[in-house]
Amino acid sequence: MGEMSGKRMVVTGGSSGIGLETARQLVEAGAEVCLVARREEALARAVADIGGSTWSHACDVADESEVAGLKDALAARWHALEGLVNNAGIAPMAKLEDTDPETWDAAFSLNVRGPYLLCRSLLDLLTAGSSPAVVNVSSTLAERAIPGMAAYNSSKAALNQLTRSIALEWAPAIRVNAVMPAVVDTPIHSSRGITADQVSDMGRMHPLGRVGRPEDVADLIVFLLSERASWMTGAVVPIDGGMMAG
Ligand code: NDP
């Protein structure tokens, strides 16, 4: 039996990149996983790819009524929840003067309001679960800002403080932690016009000499969800090839 056997988990952004790999590792460890994202076709591909007891629910996690629908679907199927991974995120790139209010709001809607809505809505289910835990996927940019990404940098900084705030409110019943990846090789970059070679070149910025793989981050998320992390809450943990050491 895997260490996640019998555990019921939700992974937002579970159809791609870090979320997809996290869901795969959770299922391999014995969990039942609900993948959440907006596009149904991508979700169906991910469910077929991972197999096991994976299922999906299409939902915009920044939309309050859609999150209420997700909660109903989870309550009807599971009645309780052991894990929530708030991973869905967007990373708009623009100088401040080119960041229109819609772009600013979109970053905060998905990267901060989404985790807030999910945590608030799923509290009852988490409370009913056995040793429940939440992991929020932040970014090193929350603490080491770079130019041209003010909306993203700020939204992830807010997510770090939301993580600590909920951890304090929900202790000792529910653990809440966050991970801060540096550059990870996922489709998020091609969606912003960054080529595979450019992503690979960014490896030079990391002391360990390469960009991250989704597996690197998923390993840490699974650890934080597991009983092995039972004395961790309110932690915001870098997983960054050494980037934040300098
Ligand atoms: P991807 O672009 O590969 O995947 C994003 C996922 O989020 C997709 O499943 C997408 O599906 C889903 N998603 C997007 N918008 C919404 C929404 N409104 N509601 C529900 N789901 C949504 O991203 P990554 O795997 O690269 O990133 C995952 C997380 O890691 C993000 O929070 C990102 O900020 C963070 N991160 C990534 C880094 C990197 O270098 N890759 C570095 C540091 C942090 P759909 O579009 O169908 O909704």
Side-chain angles (χ1 to χ4, degrees):
M1 280 218 303
E3 73 171 340
M4 293 295 177
S5 191
K7 291 189 181 279
R8 295 151 291 192
M9 307 265 171
V10 174
V11 179
T12 74
S15 60
S16 178
I18 293 167
L20 177 62
E21 181 58 27
T22 299
R24 191 191 319 279
Q25 291 194 13
L26 287 170
V27 170
E28 283 170 6
E32 296 175 53
V33 177
C34 173
L35 308 178
V36 174
R38 292 165 304 173
R39 285 168 298 152
E40 305 222 9
E41 329 78 66
L43 283 169
R45 277 197 302 276
V47 167
D49 178 19
I50 297 173
S53 49
T54 317
W55 59 290
S56 68
H57 182 89
C59 170
D60 179 344
V61 298
D63 183 300
E64 187 179 1
S65 63
E66 293 195 23
V67 170
L70 169 64
K71 194 259 176 84
D72 289 346
L74 291 165
R77 189 147 174 165
W78 279 344
H79 318 298
L81 205 55
E82 278 75 34
L84 165 63
V85 183
N86 284 309
N87 163 76
I90 46 166
M93 288 195 303
K95 291 192 292 185
L96 189 77
E97 54 271 36
D98 299 328
T99 301
D100 55 40
E102 290 72 28
T103 303
W104 181 270
D105 289 347
F108 274 78
S109 284
L110 181 52
N111 298 349
V112 191
R113 179 180 157 91
Y116 146 74
L117 285 176
L118 267 282
C119 284
R120 186 165 182 262
S121 173
L122 302 186
L123 174 58
D124 291 352
L125 291 174
L126 287 162
T127 302
S130 165
S131 304
V134 176
V135 176
N136 296 326
V137 180
S138 179
S139 163
T140 51
L141 301 184
E143 297 194 356
R144 296 283 166 86
I146 59 169
M149 294 191 73
Y152 183 77
N153 299 342
S154 308
S155 70
K156 292 297 190 179
L159 179 60
N160 285 4
Q161 202 64 336
L162 178 66
T163 300
R164 299 180 183 110
S165 304
I166 303 177
L168 292 175
E169 289 195 20
W170 289 1
I174 304 170
R175 296 183 302 103
V176 185
N177 293 291
V179 299
M180 290 191 293
V183 180
V184 182
D185 188 4
T186 73
I188 205 171
H189 303 291
S190 55
S191 71
R192 297 181 302 158
I194 300 172
T195 67
D197 283 347
Q198 287 171 322
V199 173
S200 178
D201 282 349
M202 287 191 251
R204 284 185 298 211
M205 302 186 308
H206 303 70
L208 291 180
R210 65 167 175 87
V211 299
R213 306 179 188 105
E215 295 88 323
D216 297 319
V217 184
D219 274 337
L220 177 57
I221 295 172
V222 173
F223 169 77
L224 290 170
L225 290 170
S226 78
E227 304 280 347
R228 287 175 288 149
S230 65
W231 206 45
M232 289 185 74
T233 199
V236 178
V237 186
I239 170 89
D240 64 350
M243 180 96 90
M244 303 239 339

